[in-house]
Structures are given as structure tokens and as C-alpha cells.
Amino acid sequence: MKRNDMAVQRWLIIGIALLMLATLALLAKVISVNDKHEDELAGNLLDRALAIQNQRIRVITNTYAWKLQEEATRFGNGGRVSDSTLMARWEPIMQFRPAIRSISIVDDQGQAWMLDHLGNHWTYTITSKLGSGFVALIQDVEAGRLRSADTLQGQADPRTHIWFSRALESQGSMPVWTEANNGGQRLYLSQVIRGGAGNTALRVLGFQLDPETMLANETEWNPGVPGMVLNSNWEPMAITDTAHMGRAWMATIASRPPNPARPPVEFRSGNDTWYYQFKPLFFNGTTLYSGVAVGMGVFIPWKGSRHIGLWSILLLLLLLSVLLALVFIQSRSADRKARRQAHRSSQQARHLAQAIEQREVLDREVHHRVKNNLQVVSSLLSLQARSIPGEEARNEFLRGKRRIDSMALVHHKLYRQHDLSAIDLGLFLDDIAKAMAAMFEPDSRPVAHTIVANGIRCDADTSIQLGMVVCELLANCYQHAFPSPIGGHIMIKVERLETDLFKLTVKDNGQGFDPNAIKAHHLGLQVVEALAGQLEGGSTVSINGGTQVEMTFRAGQRL
């Protein structure tokens, strides 16, 4: 190990030791100091109690909102509903949720239907437009049936209700919460219903709620932590404790209006000290304020547990110091072993990389020399072709020379690839296609080609055979598929069929041919079949708007 590394480790040990000593000293000082942090403790408990109460209030208000949405969905999906059907649907809702004092639905023409109950007295009111005013038909409901009826003239337009206008202003599909015009102890929950029966463009469904009934149980979740809910004007809507503590709390709120940004406020009830705090509850359309109060008597058990916790932390830190020393000793030994192993691994990796690089160089040199040798053979064949007297024999001789040129082309394009262990077929076949097009100019100029390899990679041996197949098929396309100068298109596609089984497709949109008539003496197709057999595959030829050759093969190494 270098001297600088040893110095760094030495200073690291000293730094850790000083840090541990400072932590132990700080804990000892905390334990020795007997300061009372009542405000902080009260704030923590208030935050927790407020979170629980707000969650419970959210749950209960959401149930009313969901019920309103469910009822609104019924109106939106169905036709016009009769009075008996409305009462049959609304009465169980109001009986199961006593906080709902009335349910109303008002359309955009001012017609309204409302079921209302006060105690055991139920009334069903139908408001309709009469001339320039509105008339209300009020009927008593007994055992689900309409009884006596009274007609009242000169009624207010139901569309002037604040909950109606607030629902229209929301421009959304969510229920809107609205307080009464003069604050007080009423809440409204309403939602716009678009579409529906008849020619009605829209309707508004609304619940009138008694917040004290709705929220009383939710602010009584813990008798030792009374709760309260205020409206947007800071007026109580629900309070759990109406005895001496509750009156003292109300008196404190009257003298010091709540402020959500203010820390917990202290007040006294008899000989007990209490703290309270309010937090806003944001609803769609209005804001309520939820508050809880806690007495300092609940902190007495916390003080003993706090000291126990601090002493426990002190002992744990001492044990941690011992364990840290042992771990450091062990880590130094493991670090030395790891460095030795890393050094050996690094050397092996360098040797392996050098071997791979040397093999890559040798492979490229082999392919380069094969290409050069094939080019020499091709040049000799060109010279020999000049001395052949017959035209047909000379053409066959030149076809053989062209196949040798294709082999040289494949090896030339192969050794130019970046990674010979995993040849990118998309780039490799594209290079071959461009070179073949250049070989058959000017006949190949109006013919375009497309390569679709789907990111498939193959080993060098498989790539060579695939390249020879593509060269043979492209030569056939350029020579026979496009006799007219209008041009055409060649598609070369490679796709995976199974884990190690692939398919090569070469398709043109040329004039096609009869495969049964020429397959027996067509050397190009025989070459393709032979190469497919070497790759443990096969080939098929089909004529459908051109010529299509499909060859299946199995690849060696691939990514």
C-alpha cells in the first residue's frame, strides 16, 4: 500500500473517532438537560391528530360525493324519471345518510323536484314556471306515497340557488361543494348533468347537507383529542366537546381567530393546559378548516419513554463504535485481498483483450487475402474469356467469373465490419446490395432496394453464406426481373422465426418467371439451395406480383 493511502486511512480513523466522541458528548448533554419542549411535542401530536381527522373527514365527504356522482350518472343515462321513482330512489339515500336534508334536481328551464325531510316530516316539492313567475306544488309524503298538496304562487326561480350557479361555473364533471349564502350550518353538494331526456340541455343535481350531523362522528374519533370544523368564515360547523373545555376553546378562538400559519395556540381549561391548531381542508368549491386540541397531560408518558430512548441510543452508539472498529480491521484485510484479485483480473482481462484483438486482426487479414486471391482468379478468368470463341460458352464462363467476383465482394465487405463475431446484417447486406447495384450499372439505376434486418446479428461464417445468397439473387433480379427501363424495387428482409431459426426473404416486383420450367437447369437457384442446406435450412420460390425467394437458416453466434 502506498504511503499516501496509509495516511488517508489514518486520518479517516481519527475523523470517525472524533465524530463518534462528539455524538456521544451531544447525547450525554441532551440526557443531562431537563428542558421541556412542550410546544414542539404539542405540534407533533397536533399534526398527527389533524392528519388522522382530516383523513377521516375526507373519507366521509367522498362517500357523499360518490353517491351524488352515482345518482347523477343514473339521470345522465336514463330518460325522464317519474315522481314515484324519484322518491323510491331518494328516500333510502336520505334515510341511510341522515346528514342529507334534501335532494333536488333543477333543469335549465327552472323546473325543480325536491325531496325534503325535517325530523319525521317528509315533503316532495315540484317547482315549475307559470307565466313570468314560478309556482310550487308541495306534497306531504307518508309511507312513500304522496298525500295532501299545497300550491304556493310567486316562488323564487330555483336557478337562483347558489349551489346551482356554482355547479355551472365549475365547468367540470366533479361535484362542487358550496356553503350557504349567509354561512351558517348548511353545505350544498351539486353536480351538472349534461344531456338526458327530452330537450333539456343540462340539469343540476344537489344535496343539502347538515355538516354537524355529517362530521360529528369524524371529530369524535378520539375522546382525548377533541376536534372542530369551521366554515370559510371561521364559524363552527361541528364541535365534539360542548362542556367546560369546549367553551374555553370557543372563547379562545373568538379572541384570537385561527390562523393556519400560526404555531399551536395555548389555552387553559380549569387547571389543564391545552394546545390547538387549525389546518385548511380544500374541497372543490370551498375551503373548511379542521382543528384539534390536545392536553399537556398526554405528554407525561412521553417524557419517560424519551429518556429511555436516548439512553438506548447512547448504548447503541457505544456498541456501534466497537463494531465499527472490528469492521474496519476486517475491511482492511478484505481490501488487500480485493486489490490483489482486482490486479490479477485486470491482467487477465488485458491478456484476453490482446488475444481477441490479435484474432480480429488475423481474421481480417484472412478475409482480405481471400478477397485479393479471388480478384486475381477473376482477372485470370477475364483474360481467359477473351479467347473463348462461342458467345454462349463465353457468357457461361463470365457468369462463373461473376460468382467469383461476388465471393470476393462478400469477403471485402466482411473484413470492413467493426465486429467480426457479431455481424450487423442490416449494414452488411446493405453494403452488398449497393456494391451489386454498382456492378450491374446502368441496368440497376432505376431499381431501388430496401433492407429490413430487425437488428439481427450473425457470426462471420453464416454472414458469408448469406452474402453469397443475396449476391446470387440480386444478380438474377438485375438480369431478368426488369427488362423495361421503368425500374422497380427489391426488398431484402431477415426475420427471426424461432430461437435460432431465421428466414431470409428477397422479393422483387418484376415480371416473374416459371420456377418449374427453369429450376432444373438454373445454377443460381441450385447455389441458393446448396447454401441453405449448409445452414440447416431450405429455400422456396414463389411468383406473386414478382419473384419471391425465401430461405430458412440457422445462425451460429448472434446477439
Side-chain angles (χ1 to χ4, degrees):
M1 182 182 297
K2 295 182 180 180
R3 184 172 301 177
N4 290 337
D5 294 338
M6 296 180 62
V8 169
Q9 286 193 356
R10 198 162 45 244
W11 282 108
L12 181 61
I13 295 174
I14 295 174
I16 293 175
L18 292 176
L19 181 61
M20 297 295 295
L21 288 176
T23 305
L24 292 174
L26 181 61
L27 279 175
K29 182 177 180 180
V30 170
I31 293 174
S32 64
V33 175
N34 195 22
D35 296 334
K36 297 180 180 179
H37 304 287
E38 294 182 354
D39 291 342
E40 180 182 354
L41 294 175
N44 293 336
L45 184 56
L46 285 170
D47 289 341
R48 181 185 176 199
L50 273 171
I52 296 174
Q53 177 170 291
N54 291 348
Q55 183 180 11
R56 294 173 66 90
I57 292 174
R58 288 286 184 191
V59 170
I60 191 64
T61 54
N62 284 341
T63 59
Y64 285 88
W66 294 334
K67 176 54 68 175
L68 181 72
Q69 288 179 307
E70 178 183 346
E71 190 65 17
T73 302
R74 290 184 178 181
F75 278 100
N77 295 334
R80 192 174 297 280
V81 183
S82 64
D83 296 336
S84 59
T85 302
L86 281 181
M87 289 190 297
R89 279 167 36 181
W90 288 355
E91 188 172 350
I93 295 175
M94 299 172 68
Q95 289 177 343
F96 184 70
R97 293 174 174 81
I100 301 178
R101 297 305 187 196
S102 67
I103 302 179
S104 305
I105 184 167
V106 181
D107 64 20
D108 57 355
Q109 303 300 318
Q111 284 191 306
W113 296 263
M114 179 179 70
L115 181 62
D116 179 83
H117 82 94
L118 182 61
N120 295 325
H121 185 211
W122 293 74
T123 58
Y124 183 72
T125 304
I126 302 176
T127 304
S128 57
K129 191 170 185 180
L130 182 63
S132 60
F134 289 84
V135 60
L137 178 63
I138 303 175
Q139 306 171 79
D140 292 332
V141 181
E142 295 181 6
R145 297 178 179 272
L146 297 175
R147 300 300 183 189
S148 59
D150 293 328
T151 302
L152 299 179
Q153 303 286 339
Q155 297 298 302
D157 187 345
R159 294 170 296 183
T160 60
H161 292 308
I162 186 172
W163 54 269
F164 184 90
S165 60
R166 292 295 295 276
L168 295 180
E169 293 171 0
S170 67
Q171 297 294 330
S173 60
M174 298 300 295
V176 179
W177 292 86
T178 309
E179 298 182 47
N181 288 326
N182 57 351
Q185 298 295 318
R186 285 184 297 171
L187 277 176
Y188 297 99
L189 184 61
S190 57
Q191 180 176 346
V192 173
I193 306 172
R194 302 189 184 275
N199 296 321
T200 303
L202 58 84
R203 292 169 287 178
V204 177
L205 178 67
F207 289 171
Q208 179 183 338
L209 303 169
D210 177 15
E212 186 171 4
T213 303
M214 180 177 64
L215 301 176
N217 292 333
E218 303 313 314
T219 54
E220 295 175 357
W221 60 275
N222 188 343
V225 184
M228 183 186 303
V229 178
L230 307 179
N231 61 18
S232 59
N233 296 323
W234 300 99
E235 298 170 345
M237 301 181 72
I239 182 172
T240 59
D241 193 341
T242 57
H244 186 272
M245 195 287 296
R247 291 193 297 270
W249 190 7
M250 290 297 300
T252 305
I253 293 175
S255 61
R256 300 180 63 184
N259 184 351
R262 182 186 301 164
V265 179
E266 177 184 349
F267 72 97
R268 298 189 65 83
S269 175
N271 296 325
D272 297 327
T273 300
W274 291 77
Y275 286 87
Y276 77 84
Q277 191 172 26
F278 282 86
K279 294 290 184 182
L281 270 174
F282 299 103
F283 294 93
N284 185 23
T286 190
T287 301
L288 304 180
Y289 295 91
S290 171
V292 293
V294 295
M296 291 308 300
V298 300
F299 297 133
I300 294 175
W302 285 21
K303 297 177 183 178
S305 62
R306 180 185 177 188
H307 284 285
I308 293 175
L310 289 175
W311 279 107
S312 300
I313 294 174
L314 180 61
L315 292 176
L316 288 174
L317 281 174
L318 290 174
L319 291 175
L320 182 62
S321 301
V322 175
L323 291 175
L324 183 62
L326 294 176
V327 168
F328 181 76
I329 294 173
Q330 294 278 345
S331 66
R332 295 214 35 200
S333 175
D335 184 56
R336 286 193 294 268
K337 293 180 181 179
R339 283 197 297 271
R340 288 195 296 268
Q341 181 63 33
H343 180 67
R344 288 195 295 267
S345 299
S346 177
Q347 287 183 335
Q348 293 175 356
R350 285 198 300 270
H351 294 160
L352 181 60
Q354 290 175 356
I356 293 174
E357 184 178 359
Q358 290 173 359
R359 179 173 177 177
E360 289 277 348
V361 172
L362 291 176
D363 287 344
R364 295 180 190 279
E365 182 64 23
V366 167
H367 289 295
H368 182 65
R369 293 190 178 187
V370 169
K371 186 263 295 185
N372 291 339
N373 292 335
L374 289 174
Q375 286 181 338
V376 171
V377 172
S378 177
S379 299
L380 293 175
L381 290 176
S382 297
L383 295 174
Q384 184 67 33
R386 298 175 183 176
S387 62
I388 296 176
E391 181 70 19
E392 183 177 356
R394 186 184 304 110
N395 290 337
E396 289 297 327
F397 196 83
L398 291 177
R399 286 193 186 96
K401 171 192 175 297
R402 178 186 54 76
R403 290 189 174 93
I404 293 176
D405 291 339
S406 298
M407 296 170 61
L409 172 66
V410 169
H411 283 276
H412 175 66
K413 297 300 181 182
L414 186 67
Y415 81 79
R416 293 172 63 89
Q417 295 293 315
H418 177 70
D419 185 3
L420 295 181
S421 64
I423 305 298
D424 187 339
L425 290 182
L427 298 176
F428 179 61
L429 296 180
D430 186 60
D431 287 345
I432 290 178
K434 291 177 180 178
M436 290 296 294
M439 186 183 299
F440 282 92
E441 285 186 346
D443 294 338
S444 63
R445 289 178 182 175
V447 181
H449 72 270
T450 302
I451 309 295
V452 180
N454 297 306
I456 297 175
R457 294 173 178 265
C458 289
D459 60 292
D461 293 337
T462 304
S463 300
I464 290 174
Q465 292 169 311
L466 290 178
M468 294 173 63
V469 169
V470 171
C471 286
E472 188 66 39
L473 295 176
L474 287 176
N476 289 339
C477 292
Y478 289 133
Q479 288 178 333
H480 307 295
F482 307 105
S484 61
I486 60 175
H489 180 263
I490 302 174
M491 166 66 77
I492 303 174
K493 183 177 181 181
V494 183
E495 55 188 322
R496 185 189 300 271
L497 300 180
E498 297 176 2
T499 303
D500 60 345
L501 182 63
F502 300 83
K503 181 173 73 173
L504 170 67
T505 303
V506 179
K507 184 179 186 305
D508 64 61
N509 59 351
Q511 64 179 356
F513 68 97
D514 184 2
N516 295 323
I518 65 172
K519 189 172 182 180
H521 60 274
H522 196 283
L523 181 60
L525 294 180
Q526 294 177 7
V527 170
V528 172
E529 289 183 354
L531 292 173
Q534 293 179 10
L535 295 176
E536 302 180 21
S539 64
T540 59
V541 180
S542 60
I543 309 300
N544 184 13
T547 303
Q548 176 173 302
V549 179
E550 294 182 344
M551 187 190 85
T552 58
F553 64 95
R554 296 189 182 275
Q557 300 176 0
R558 60 194 179 280
L559 296 177

